[in-house]
Every structure is written in C-alpha cells, then in structure tokens.
Amino acid sequence: MKMPFWSLLLVLALLQPLAAATEVKEEPAPAQVMVMLKLPAPHFRAGDNYGGAYRNDSGRSARRKLALELAQAHGLKLVSDWPMPLLGIDCYVLQLPPDQADPERMAALLAADPRVQWAQPVTTYRTMAAGDPLYKVQPTAVQWRLSDLHRTATGRNVRVAVIDSGVDDSHPELAGQVTVKENFIDRERYIGENHGTAVAGIIVARADNGIGIRGVAPDARVIALRACREGAHGAQCDSFSLAKALNFAVMQSPHVINMSLSGPPDRLLQKLVEVAIARGIRVVGAADPHLSGGGFPAAWPGVLSVASDPGPQQMAAPGRDIPAPLPGGRFGVLSGSSYAAANVSGVLALMGELRPRSAFKAAPGMLDPCAALRGVAPDCVCQCGPELSLRNQ
Amino acid sequence: MTGARFFFIFLLAGLPMAAIAQTSFNVSALSDFRVRGQSYSEEKPVLQAGVNHDFASGWYAGGFATRARVRNSRVDSVGSVYLGLARDAGGFHWDAGIVHNMYGNARQYRYHEWYAGIGVERASARLSYSPASLGTGGRTAYLELNASQPLGEHVDASIHLGYLKPFDHGVAWYYRQPARADWRVGANAFAGDWSFQLAWSGTRKVAGAFPGWRYGETRGLVLGATRHF
C-alpha cells in the first residue's frame, strides 16, 4: 500500500523534534581566571593556636572576603580556592559570566588591583596518549634489558609523584605501590582512570607477581595526584588543578615528578616547577609534537622533555605499544609520549636509589638507561648500548 | 599603659588604607581561658576578640583582649598587643617579635616578651624571653613545641608542649615562679568562617616552690568556637 506523500511529510515533521531532542549539545566550559592573594607566613597571634596548617589559618576568612569583593566588583563568581604556601600565595578561581569570553583581559583588570599579587586565566592541558588497549610484550624488557637493570637497582626508597588522572591502586599490579592518593579536581572524589593507572603502572608495576608487566622501578612508590579528568576526548586538566597537585607534590619531596601532559605556558605552573627543580626534584614532561618546544612543562628549562617520536633535539624513550595496567584489573597496549615519559621517570627512580641527588644532563636521542645507571653505580653489570644519551655529571 | 599606647599608635599608623583587606578579626567564646596551661577565667566561660594585620613586607601586628577572672586578685581582663616579622624560607618559615601583656585592674603585672619561632607546614617551635615576667622583675624563658595533623579535610589534631624556666625571682621571693611544663592536646574543626576547638590543657610544676594562686597545678577541658572576619 503506498503511503500518501503528505503522510510521509507529516511523519518526517514529527520525527524532527525527536532528532533535535536526542542531539546532545556540548556547552563550552565557562572561562575562569585565578587571582593570587598574598599568603602570609605563619606567625604568632595572641590568643590563637600556633602551628596550624596553611589551609585553615586565621587570615583565611579575610582573604576570602577580599576575593568575593573582587568577584562582585567585576561581575564574576568565586568558585574555588587553594593556598600555595610554596609561593606565598592564596589562589582563588573566579568564573566569568557566559557572555564574557576574554579571560586574558579580565586577568589584566584584576592584576591592576594593588591587593592582588597577580592574576592569570585558567588554561587547559591534555595528556599525551594515543592507541587502543591491547595486550603485548613490553618494549623496555627487550630494548632496555630491564632484568639487567634490576640487578643494580629497583627504585627502593624512591617516591615518584604522578600528576595525572586517577590511579586504580586496587589493580593487582599496583597493590601496595601507591602510598598517597589525593584528588585536586573540585567537587569530585578520587577515582581510578585509564591514563593515570597506565602511567603509574609503567613506573612501578609489581615484579614477579605472576601477572602482567614489570614496572621500570618496581620497588619505588607512587604519590598519585589526580589533577586530570578523563572524558570522551581523553584526559584533560586545568592549570588550577595542576597547580594544587604540583604544590602538594613538591611538599612531599619526591625524587621525581611525572607530568605526562602538555599545554600552553602558565605562570603559576612555571613558578611551581622552578621551585621543584630548585629543590633537586626531577620533573619529567611528555612532549607534544604539535606545540612549540613540546609544550609546557616539557619545554621549560630544567624539565626533562620526553617523546616517543622525538624531534632532532629531544630525548626519546619507548612509547609505542607499551603494555600497561588499566582500571578494573585489565591490561592494555598503549602508545604516546605519556608512556615514554613514564619510562624515563622509572629510570630516574632507579638512579635515585643509587644516588638520590646526583646531577645529570639529558641529551637528544634514545635514552640508554644502562649507561645512566653506570654513571652513578660503576659496578653495574648491565650491558650498555653504543650511545650514552643520559650523562651523569 | 604606656607600652600599650605605643604599640597601638604604631599599629594604627602602619595600616595603609589600600591594604586594609589584609586585616583579619576574630571573636571567640571559650569554656575556659587558659594561658600556658593555667586558667585565667577560674575555669568559667569567656568572650574574646582579636585583630591582626599582615603587611606585604612580612611585618605583622595585632591585638587581643579577653575578660578574665583570677582568684585572689582584682584582674578582670587581659589584653595583648604584638608586633613581629614573618618570612617563608625554602621549606620552612620563621618569625620574631615582641608581645606586651596587660592585666585590667592590675597594672603591676604588665610585662613584655620577646619571641622567635621556626616551623614547617605542620610543626613549629618558639622561644620566648621576658626580662620581667608578670611585672615582678624575674627573668623567664619559655620554650614551646606545636604540631598538627590533618584528620580529614576539615578537622585536624593538634598538640602543644611548653616549658617555662625562671632564672631569678625578681623583686621579691614570694613572686618566685617554679619551672613548669604545660600541655594542650586537642582537635580543631573548620567550617567556612568558623573554627571549633576541643582540647585538654594543663600545667604541672617541674622544680621550685610555688606559693600563691598563679602557680597551681591544674588541668581541664577547653571548648571553643571562633568566628573569623
């Protein structure tokens, strides 16, 4: 039976609102700025308790009131705050109204207030990962002769801070390997996610437990700091969550901070990275080939920039087809500079066991971890490659 | 109160209007006002108020006042004004300054103390020295250790230990203070502009005689609530 043409039109017309209703529109996240107010050093106050932590000091209410005043004066909304005692500042995040999309201009207006130390937009960063989860053999076991390296060091007494998405420490490969877990994304709780779990597993996956992989430094321990959230487009972080995590990480005094992510330069993050480097902490960043110099933090002086497919002046490490643990007891095979950076963090953890504060300078080309270990432990029995890429000074 | 006048004038003169937002105030209600383990309110509730101003340079100044009640004396209030300098230095912080303590209806007890302290995020130590403690002329030194440990995002535990050492008895033997230790162990909770405390505090003699009300060994529970501005 033929359907009259007008009936077909009616059906199509009725279907159109349904199509519109099921179409999901992604609203862009509102722009935000960070305002830095001076955080005084703790000091004597008559009638007050002494020695309280920075987060709950007596002047916090006054600073918060100032931040509210600044927000109201500029038509903004105060959404979050966090003290950064390493830099002597208290950081407040202010959200711009939907009809204002110029955070740079707003930051400049706020910075002009004499009560403000400085102001900057909240910027977005992405983790450097690509590939689908498949299980394969570890390249580091073959290329780096991991078992030889482990005759000399396994990362004992070394802590590596992983600033990433969440780490699933209930995974059998990570049981007992994570000593600290903290979430720095507002209004969320800590959860295990793919990227963070994989990065942590590459560094410290348990050895000789009869399953899965062996981490580059299986006796090191991870400080798992969730500053990135995983979604449909991969893991994303912003400069506020990263700054909180970096501030926390530095105060834990780890040997290494691994940041397998990349984004634009950020003043707050730069200052925190500088403090970390000044304290002798190795900072490892994953290089983004699409950003100048590899992006931040990889391009920042003093940061070890690592890529799986390096440029002519870049350090490289295995970053293709890397087997790694994933949440829920699973395993996958992953590729990207994120995992190359994690492998380098593992080597730094091995060096940290042998000589905690040894000086070194990274050189372009594929990393030779055996040569690196021999630089700090001359009695290393591992066979070294022909090129010395990570020199010890 | 010449010393107090001096400090208040300095405090007001040093408050640049553009930086008025660096000033913080607080009002507290305590079940018992204790200083170095001793009750200055006969273990009765009191109301207190404090003000503090932090300059951008690291200098700070402030004041504190509270009702008080001390057995066998006419003291009905206690006030303090202080001035100091605090700085962050790498992984630790330090501060040094002077505090002047005053007692309502008992001018003879007013005295000042110099202090210097050092600390990290959750622990600190401070040494105080007075050339004439409680106005009697006896020199004293006081060493205290303080530490706190977060128990959650809004709660922490804190501990304070102090030791007072007198070096002489000043103008009269009957003002001689004993060497004594004091402590305070408790928990603090924070909610927005409010903080709450529950602590066990006390003092005990370590050495020396102690006549009079000021030197008794005491201990007691302290409950408090503070509104910060």
Side-chain angles (χ1 to χ4, degrees):
Chain A
M1 175 177 128
K2 283 185 183 175
M3 183 181 247
F5 179 70
W6 64 266
S7 299
L8 182 62
L9 284 178
L10 181 62
V11 168
L12 287 172
L14 287 172
L15 280 175
Q16 192 56 36
L18 280 176
T22 52
E23 182 184 334
V24 175
K25 253 187 166 181
E26 256 193 57
E27 295 289 338
Q32 295 178 332
V33 293
M34 289 186 284
V35 168
M36 319 300 175
L37 304 180
K38 179 158 178 66
L39 176 64
H43 60 72
F44 172 85
R45 292 171 193 253
D48 198 357
N49 287 326
Y50 195 83
Y54 278 102
R55 288 179 58 187
N56 295 308
D57 71 284
S58 303
R60 185 166 178 264
S61 293
R63 290 192 299 275
R64 187 178 173 81
K65 196 161 43 159
L66 170 58
L68 278 168
E69 184 188 317
L70 290 167
Q72 282 162 11
H74 295 276
L76 309 174
K77 178 184 169 188
L78 176 63
V79 295
S80 191
D81 64 277
W82 197 270
M84 308 273 178
L86 287 178
L87 301 178
I89 56 169
D90 204 353
C91 178
Y92 291 84
V93 179
L94 308 181
Q95 185 168 297
L96 276 66
D99 59 345
Q100 285 190 40
D102 193 350
E104 291 280 359
R105 180 178 164 276
M106 182 56 67
L109 282 174
L110 289 163
D113 191 302
R115 298 167 296 180
V116 172
Q117 297 282 98
W118 88 80
Q120 63 177 77
V122 175
T123 44
T124 303
Y125 292 76
R126 293 181 190 279
T127 53
M128 303 312 301
D132 298 316
L134 294 171
Y135 181 80
K136 279 191 180 180
V137 176
Q138 292 177 253
T140 47
V142 176
Q143 296 176 28
W144 283 1
R145 301 188 185 92
L146 209 53
S147 54
D148 279 351
L149 299 180
H150 288 166
R151 282 188 218 157
T152 300
T154 53
R156 263 187 303 273
N157 299 320
V158 172
R159 296 193 303 158
V160 179
V162 173
I163 299 180
D164 211 297
S165 58
V167 175
D168 178 9
D169 65 341
S170 67
H171 195 291
E173 290 280 59
L174 292 170
Q177 305 296 81
V178 178
T179 55
V180 175
K181 267 189 334 185
E182 288 284 343
N183 171 65
F184 296 96
I185 300 176
D186 289 342
R187 293 176 294 279
E188 291 192 17
R189 58 185 177 82
Y190 194 100
I191 55 173
E193 293 162 297
N194 287 334
H195 194 268
T197 302
V199 166
I202 287 166
I203 301 171
V204 299
R206 296 176 65 186
D208 301 322
N209 59 346
I211 58 170
I213 65 169
R214 172 186 286 206
V216 177
D219 284 334
R221 295 293 179 264
V222 156
I223 300 168
L225 308 177
R226 181 174 183 256
C228 305
R229 178 196 297 114
E230 289 194 11
H233 305 289
Q236 282 199 14
C237 348
D238 64 58
S239 41
F240 184 54
S241 62
L242 286 174
K244 288 190 288 183
L246 198 44
N247 182 83
F248 183 93
V250 175
M251 294 180 83
Q252 298 293 307
S253 300
H255 286 78
V256 184
I257 295 177
N258 185 93
M259 299 179 74
S260 287
L261 48 93
S262 190
D266 183 279
R267 181 177 172 184
L268 177 60
L269 295 178
Q270 286 164 357
K271 285 180 174 289
L272 288 166
V273 165
E274 284 170 359
V275 171
I277 293 170
R279 292 192 181 189
I281 300 172
R282 319 279 192 249
V283 180
V284 179
D288 183 346
H290 305 296
L291 294 178
S292 169
F296 181 86
W300 195 247
V303 173
L304 280 179
S305 169
V306 186
S308 54
D309 291 318
Q313 295 300 320
Q314 209 143 46
M315 183 167 68
R320 283 190 174 279
D321 300 330
I322 308 295
L326 295 176
R330 298 175 296 128
F331 287 87
V333 173
L334 310 165
S335 296
S337 295
S338 289
Y339 313 111
N343 276 319
V344 170
S345 290
V347 171
L348 292 173
L350 299 180
M351 293 176 67
E353 175 187 333
L354 298 171
R355 195 186 295 179
R357 296 291 177 219
S358 58
F360 64 89
K361 188 183 286 185
M366 180 60 71
L367 169 65
D368 185 339
C370 185
L373 287 191
R374 203 150 65 179
V376 294
D379 57 349
C380 172
V381 299
C382 45
Q383 297 176 8
C384 291
E387 294 180 12
L388 187 65
S389 299
L390 193 67
R391 294 186 176 82
N392 188 59
Q393 289 189 346
Chain B
M1 290 193 175
T2 307
R5 242 182 249 134
F6 168 76
F7 283 111
F8 272 119
I9 289 169
F10 183 95
L11 180 65
L12 291 171
L15 275 177
M17 294 309 291
I20 195 70
Q22 296 287 346
T23 305
S24 58
F25 304 88
N26 63 78
V27 175
S28 302
L30 293 181
S31 63
D32 182 9
F33 172 46
R34 285 185 174 260
V35 177
R36 295 175 180 173
Q38 289 187 314
S39 176
Y40 275 52
S41 65
E42 290 190 330
E43 299 177 355
K44 301 275 194 308
V46 291
L47 281 178
Q48 307 180 326
V51 59
N52 181 84
H53 183 83
D54 288 289
F55 298 90
S57 58
W59 285 94
Y60 62 89
F64 167 77
T66 179
R67 299 295 293 172
R69 202 180 326 190
V70 181
R71 197 176 296 120
N72 298 328
S73 84
R74 296 187 303 157
V75 172
D76 63 358
S77 60
V78 174
S80 301
V81 288
Y82 58 89
L83 171 70
L85 176 65
R87 288 275 166 80
D88 285 304
F92 66 95
H93 54 83
W94 61 265
D95 80 312
I98 181 170
V99 55
H100 186 75
N101 300 307
M102 300 157 283
Y103 300 86
N105 276 336
R107 282 172 55 98
Q108 69 273 25
Y109 295 142
R110 71 183 188 280
Y111 72 103
H112 62 271
E113 260 187 344
W114 299 91
Y115 62 85
I118 192 168
V120 292
E121 190 194 357
R122 294 186 189 138
S124 63
R126 189 194 316 146
L127 182 64
S128 303
Y129 170 76
S130 174
S133 180
L134 290 172
T136 64
R139 293 176 301 137
T140 58
Y142 179 73
L143 175 66
E144 62 183 292
L145 304 173
N146 303 280
S148 67
Q149 173 64 39
L151 303 176
E153 188 174 347
H154 301 291
V155 181
D156 65 28
S158 62
I159 184 168
H160 156 89
L161 298 171
Y163 176 70
L164 179 77
K165 167 71 178 172
F167 295 105
D168 52 53
H169 56 71
V171 299
W173 66 268
Y174 46 83
Y175 282 142
R176 189 171 67 203
Q177 300 188 59
R180 66 175 190 270
D182 69 277
W183 68 90
R184 182 188 178 96
V185 181
N188 308 282
F190 309 92
D193 293 325
W194 288 88
S195 62
F196 306 91
Q197 57 176 291
L198 171 65
W200 181 251
S201 177
T203 181
R204 65 171 294 162
K205 182 193 79 167
V206 174
F210 53 103
W213 59 264
R214 288 187 290 262
Y215 309 125
E217 294 191 350
T218 70
R219 57 191 68 85
L221 197 65
V222 177
L223 286 168
T226 302
R227 173 72 158 88
H228 303 272
F229 300 90

mmCIF file of all heavy atoms in Angstrom, chain B residues 23 39 53 55 61 72 79 138 143 159 189 226:
data_model
loop_
_atom_site.group_PDB
_atom_site.id
_atom_site.type_symbol
_atom_site.label_atom_id
_atom_site.label_comp_id
_atom_site.label_asym_id
_atom_site.label_seq_id
_atom_site.Cartn_x
_atom_site.Cartn_y
_atom_site.Cartn_z
ATOM 1 N N THR B 23 43.679 42.823 56.908
ATOM 2 C CA THR B 23 43.367 42.784 58.324
ATOM 3 C C THR B 23 42.330 41.714 58.591
ATOM 4 O O THR B 23 41.352 41.598 57.856
ATOM 5 C CB THR B 23 42.826 44.142 58.793
ATOM 6 O OG1 THR B 23 43.760 45.159 58.446
ATOM 7 C CG2 THR B 23 42.600 44.153 60.293
ATOM 8 N N SER B 39 44.423 28.381 84.076
ATOM 9 C CA SER B 39 43.160 29.051 83.798
ATOM 10 C C SER B 39 43.209 30.487 84.289
ATOM 11 O O SER B 39 43.541 30.744 85.446
ATOM 12 C CB SER B 39 42.004 28.319 84.488
ATOM 13 O OG SER B 39 40.806 29.037 84.271
ATOM 14 N N HIS B 53 46.950 42.314 61.558
ATOM 15 C CA HIS B 53 47.190 42.890 60.236
ATOM 16 C C HIS B 53 48.523 42.389 59.706
ATOM 17 O O HIS B 53 49.531 42.442 60.402
ATOM 18 C CB HIS B 53 47.189 44.420 60.277
ATOM 19 C CG HIS B 53 47.366 45.030 58.929
ATOM 20 N ND1 HIS B 53 46.308 45.203 58.064
ATOM 21 C CD2 HIS B 53 48.462 45.464 58.272
ATOM 22 C CE1 HIS B 53 46.750 45.723 56.933
ATOM 23 N NE2 HIS B 53 48.053 45.901 57.043
ATOM 24 N N PHE B 55 51.311 42.978 56.802
ATOM 25 C CA PHE B 55 51.820 43.869 55.758
ATOM 26 C C PHE B 55 52.451 43.034 54.647
ATOM 27 O O PHE B 55 52.903 41.914 54.875
ATOM 28 C CB PHE B 55 52.855 44.831 56.341
ATOM 29 C CG PHE B 55 52.314 45.738 57.409
ATOM 30 C CD1 PHE B 55 52.341 45.368 58.739
ATOM 31 C CD2 PHE B 55 51.760 46.967 57.078
ATOM 32 C CE1 PHE B 55 51.834 46.200 59.732
ATOM 33 C CE2 PHE B 55 51.252 47.807 58.063
ATOM 34 C CZ PHE B 55 51.289 47.426 59.385
ATOM 35 N N ALA B 61 51.171 42.894 62.891
ATOM 36 C CA ALA B 61 50.881 43.484 64.200
ATOM 37 C C ALA B 61 49.451 43.126 64.572
ATOM 38 O O ALA B 61 48.623 42.851 63.697
ATOM 39 C CB ALA B 61 51.056 44.991 64.168
ATOM 40 N N ASN B 72 41.792 35.505 94.034
ATOM 41 C CA ASN B 72 42.643 36.283 94.951
ATOM 42 C C ASN B 72 43.329 37.449 94.265
ATOM 43 O O ASN B 72 44.429 37.859 94.658
ATOM 44 C CB ASN B 72 43.705 35.382 95.614
ATOM 45 C CG ASN B 72 43.075 34.293 96.451
ATOM 46 O OD1 ASN B 72 42.000 34.488 97.027
ATOM 47 N ND2 ASN B 72 43.712 33.151 96.509
ATOM 48 N N GLY B 79 44.828 41.750 78.137
ATOM 49 C CA GLY B 79 44.997 42.235 76.772
ATOM 50 C C GLY B 79 46.441 42.072 76.326
ATOM 51 O O GLY B 79 47.357 42.014 77.145
ATOM 52 N N GLY B 138 61.375 39.146 87.517
ATOM 53 C CA GLY B 138 62.026 37.860 87.314
ATOM 54 C C GLY B 138 62.158 37.543 85.834
ATOM 55 O O GLY B 138 61.213 37.642 85.071
ATOM 56 N N LEU B 143 59.907 27.807 76.254
ATOM 57 C CA LEU B 143 60.086 27.079 75.004
ATOM 58 C C LEU B 143 58.816 26.284 74.720
ATOM 59 O O LEU B 143 58.316 25.601 75.598
ATOM 60 C CB LEU B 143 61.275 26.126 75.083
ATOM 61 C CG LEU B 143 61.505 25.218 73.866
ATOM 62 C CD1 LEU B 143 61.893 26.037 72.644
ATOM 63 C CD2 LEU B 143 62.580 24.176 74.166
ATOM 64 N N ILE B 159 48.790 19.397 69.025
ATOM 65 C CA ILE B 159 49.432 19.181 70.308
ATOM 66 C C ILE B 159 50.375 20.330 70.582
ATOM 67 O O ILE B 159 51.009 20.866 69.670
ATOM 68 C CB ILE B 159 50.188 17.826 70.340
ATOM 69 C CG1 ILE B 159 50.778 17.577 71.734
ATOM 70 C CG2 ILE B 159 51.280 17.777 69.279
ATOM 71 C CD1 ILE B 159 51.286 16.162 71.936
ATOM 72 N N ALA B 189 38.159 21.869 64.316
ATOM 73 C CA ALA B 189 37.321 21.672 63.133
ATOM 74 C C ALA B 189 37.093 23.012 62.457
ATOM 75 O O ALA B 189 37.041 24.050 63.123
ATOM 76 C CB ALA B 189 35.990 21.040 63.529
ATOM 77 N N THR B 226 35.072 30.007 67.316
ATOM 78 C CA THR B 226 35.612 31.282 66.844
ATOM 79 C C THR B 226 34.993 31.640 65.504
ATOM 80 O O THR B 226 34.886 30.800 64.610
ATOM 81 C CB THR B 226 37.140 31.194 66.675
ATOM 82 O OG1 THR B 226 37.732 30.828 67.910
ATOM 83 C CG2 THR B 226 37.717 32.529 66.216
#
